[in-house]
């Protein structure tokens, strides 16, 4: 895959991700839910932390939520530069299409959520009890780097009480799949899944090139 095609893929995913988030933010109040099918809902929530709503401050008690949020956003930005470098390097090395495709998905997803974290705090007012406004006259709900990630995709495929014989969670009410996520999250998860389940295919060409280089250097 060429850099041009990878860039196009990233832009398409970013566009879909941001259009869906802006639509939800400007048409739904926080907590609103629209049932499409029994197993699929549009549910507007905002994620102020890491995956599953976890916050850095949950583990490091002496750091305030705002400081933890800033650290997380800055870490995401640094990670994006690292992923971008990995993508460009892989393309230059003519790595497998599988690897480049996976990295492009991860980079697109990371960029999508970073836009929320960095800019949404100043681009929108809050969604508590109201539909948010884009570029409100009174200003946004927070400052730069303190925006919240917009999530809306919910797939509650099954809900019920778990059998008592299941250790630790038996008898508890359980929903599969409980987390609410967005297009960017899907891109990241898909990219990581490709790297895990198609590991040999993704890194095959890289390994072969390295072996050839080592053999050539030994012959010299």
């Amino acid at each position: 895959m060429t850099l041009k095609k990878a860039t196009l893929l990233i832009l398409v995913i970013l566009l879909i991700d941001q259009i869906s988030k802006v639509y939800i933010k400007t048409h739904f109040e926080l907590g609103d839910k629209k049932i499409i099918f029994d197993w699929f809902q549009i549910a507007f929530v905002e994620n102020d932390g890491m995956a599953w709503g976890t916050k850095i401050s949950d583990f490091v008690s002496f750091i305030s939520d705002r400081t933890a949020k800033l650290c997380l956003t800055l870490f995401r930005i640094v990670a994006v530069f690292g992923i971008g470098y990995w993508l460009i390097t892989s393309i230059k090395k003519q790595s497998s299409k599988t690897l480049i495709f996976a990295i492009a998905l991860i980079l697109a997803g990371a960029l999508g959520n970073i836009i929320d974290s960095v800019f949404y705090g100043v681009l929108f007012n809050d969604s508590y009890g109201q539909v948010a406004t884009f570029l409100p006259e009174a200003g946004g709900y927070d400052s730069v780097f303190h925006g919240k990630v917009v999530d809306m995709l919910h797939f509650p495929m099954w809900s019920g009480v778990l059998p008592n014989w299941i250790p630790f969670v038996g008898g508890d009410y359980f929903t599969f799949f409980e987390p609410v996520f967005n297009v960017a999250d899907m891109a990241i998860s898909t990219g990581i899944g490709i790297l895990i389940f198609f590991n040999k295919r993704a890194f095959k060409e890289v390994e072969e090139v390295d072996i050839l280089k080592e053999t050539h250097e030994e012959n010299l």
Side-chain angles (χ1 to χ4, degrees):
M1 180 181 288
T2 63
L3 179 60
K4 184 177 181 179
K5 290 182 179 179
T7 302
L8 180 61
L9 173 63
I10 292 170
L11 290 177
V12 170
I13 293 173
L14 269 179
L15 188 62
I16 296 172
D17 176 65
Q18 289 302 307
I19 288 176
S20 63
K21 289 175 177 175
V22 171
Y23 179 84
I24 293 297
K25 189 70 177 171
T26 55
H27 288 79
F28 285 65
E29 294 181 14
L30 192 64
D32 279 353
K33 181 184 296 185
K34 183 175 182 179
I35 298 176
I36 309 300
F37 302 106
D38 290 339
W39 50 269
F40 174 52
Q41 303 173 0
I42 301 296
F44 177 27
V45 301
E46 289 183 315
N47 181 6
D48 194 32
M50 300 180 289
W52 314 99
T54 307
K55 300 178 181 179
I56 295 177
S57 53
D58 292 338
F59 303 96
V60 186
S61 57
F62 59 84
I63 296 180
S64 67
D65 285 346
R66 288 188 63 80
T67 301
K69 172 65 177 176
L70 177 60
C71 291
L72 177 60
T73 301
L74 293 176
F75 172 78
R76 284 172 170 165
I77 293 173
V78 172
V80 159
F81 278 103
I83 298 170
Y85 177 78
W86 185 19
L87 176 63
I88 293 172
T89 301
S90 298
I91 293 173
K92 287 182 178 179
K93 289 182 177 180
Q94 297 183 337
S95 300
S96 67
K97 293 180 180 180
T98 303
L99 176 62
I100 296 172
F101 180 71
I103 299 173
L105 288 177
I106 296 171
L107 180 57
L111 284 171
N113 285 335
I114 280 178
I115 291 174
D116 300 29
S117 298
V118 175
F119 300 111
Y120 274 30
V122 296
L123 293 179
F124 301 95
N125 52 3
D126 68 72
S127 300
Y128 294 100
Q130 65 178 6
V131 174
T133 302
F134 181 68
L135 295 177
E137 294 182 2
Y141 64 81
D142 214 319
S143 58
V144 177
F145 295 113
H146 288 91
K148 298 178 181 179
V149 177
V150 175
D151 295 322
M152 79 293 291
L153 303 176
H154 188 209
F155 291 86
M157 297 181 182
W158 180 87
S159 297
V161 178
L162 295 174
N164 291 323
W165 55 264
I166 299 179
F168 306 111
V169 295
D172 293 344
Y173 187 83
F174 178 78
T175 299
F176 180 86
F177 183 71
E178 182 63 26
V180 182
F181 51 95
N182 55 45
V183 174
D185 295 332
M186 289 178 61
I188 294 172
S189 299
T190 303
I192 293 174
I194 290 173
L195 294 180
I196 293 174
F197 294 104
F198 300 97
N199 183 277
K200 291 184 179 180
R201 183 185 300 177
F203 294 98
K204 181 178 180 180
E205 293 183 17
V206 176
E207 291 174 354
E208 288 178 351
V209 170
D210 289 340
I211 291 172
L212 290 174
K213 285 183 178 179
E214 290 176 1
T215 303
H216 179 68
E217 290 174 357
E218 289 177 358
N219 292 333
L220 292 176

